[in-house]
Amino acid sequence: MNPDDADTLAIIGGLYRRKKEYTQALDFYERAWRVNPGLSYALGNLASLSWFLGNASDALMYFGFTEVAAAGRIKKGQSEGFWDYYDLALARLATGKIAEAKEAYMKAIQETPGNVQFDSALNNLYLLRGAPQVMPGLDDVVKMIEDAKVD
């Protein structure tokens, strides 16, 4: 009903991503970001897919924007803030701020309500493991989150 709703566009991007239709996913995430430049979810996914597809320069640009957007949302105290910490942490990890990234991941882990959310965060990190370029610290972060899951 509202073709310019950023959340809806980002959700559609997520659906395409799950189907491994990455070009369409990128398109919807970018549309969501253009509608709402502060939507760190869309930015983080733009960055992650760009990294996965080997477009490191685009990914780093998007990760930079993600870091700013997520930090802003954290400062405002948005609901479900753990997602903003995951976005912030990944942006910092991708830009080589490994110690800061791990701190943000610890905060995200502390606030994560359950395994469904842990699995969602891990899904993105597992995707990044398949990228043509290595992301330093990624395996350590994956282990942190896997260890935090309740069996």
Side-chain angles (χ1 to χ4, degrees):
M1 296 178 75
N2 181 358
D4 291 327
D5 180 72
D7 289 328
T8 301
L9 293 168
I11 290 167
I12 294 169
L15 294 172
Y16 277 117
R17 179 180 162 161
R18 283 182 196 90
K19 292 174 60 178
K20 298 184 176 152
E21 295 179 20
Y22 300 125
T23 302
Q24 294 88 342
L26 278 170
D27 178 56
F28 276 93
Y29 286 135
E30 185 166 1
R31 287 171 58 188
W33 170 58
R34 293 202 183 281
V35 170
N36 181 354
L39 189 60
S40 60
Y41 170 75
L43 276 166
N45 280 291
L46 266 172
S48 293
L49 282 177
S50 295
W51 187 274
F52 174 74
L53 295 171
N55 301 322
S57 62
D58 285 351
L60 290 173
M61 175 187 68
Y62 290 132
F63 278 126
F65 294 153
T66 302
E67 183 174 8
V68 171
R73 289 177 55 86
I74 290 167
K75 190 173 185 177
K76 290 179 184 175
Q78 304 289 324
S79 66
E80 295 190 330
F82 63 94
W83 289 125
D84 295 318
Y85 279 104
Y86 281 116
D87 291 338
L88 177 67
L90 182 55
R92 288 181 173 169
L93 187 68
T95 57
K97 302 172 192 168
I98 297 172
E100 291 177 38
K102 288 181 179 181
E103 286 178 30
Y105 274 115
M106 286 305 301
K107 183 71 171 167
I109 288 167
Q110 290 169 356
E111 294 186 12
T112 300
N115 284 345
V116 170
Q117 293 82 5
F118 283 130
D119 287 339
S120 182
L122 284 167
N123 181 274
N124 189 46
L125 299 175
Y126 294 152
L127 176 79
L128 292 171
R129 280 182 164 172
Q133 61 280 345
V134 173
M135 186 177 290
L138 180 61
D139 288 336
D140 292 342
V141 168
V142 167
K143 182 166 179 10
M144 286 171 59
I145 298 171
E146 287 175 341
D147 289 348
K149 284 180 57 175
V150 178
D151 291 327

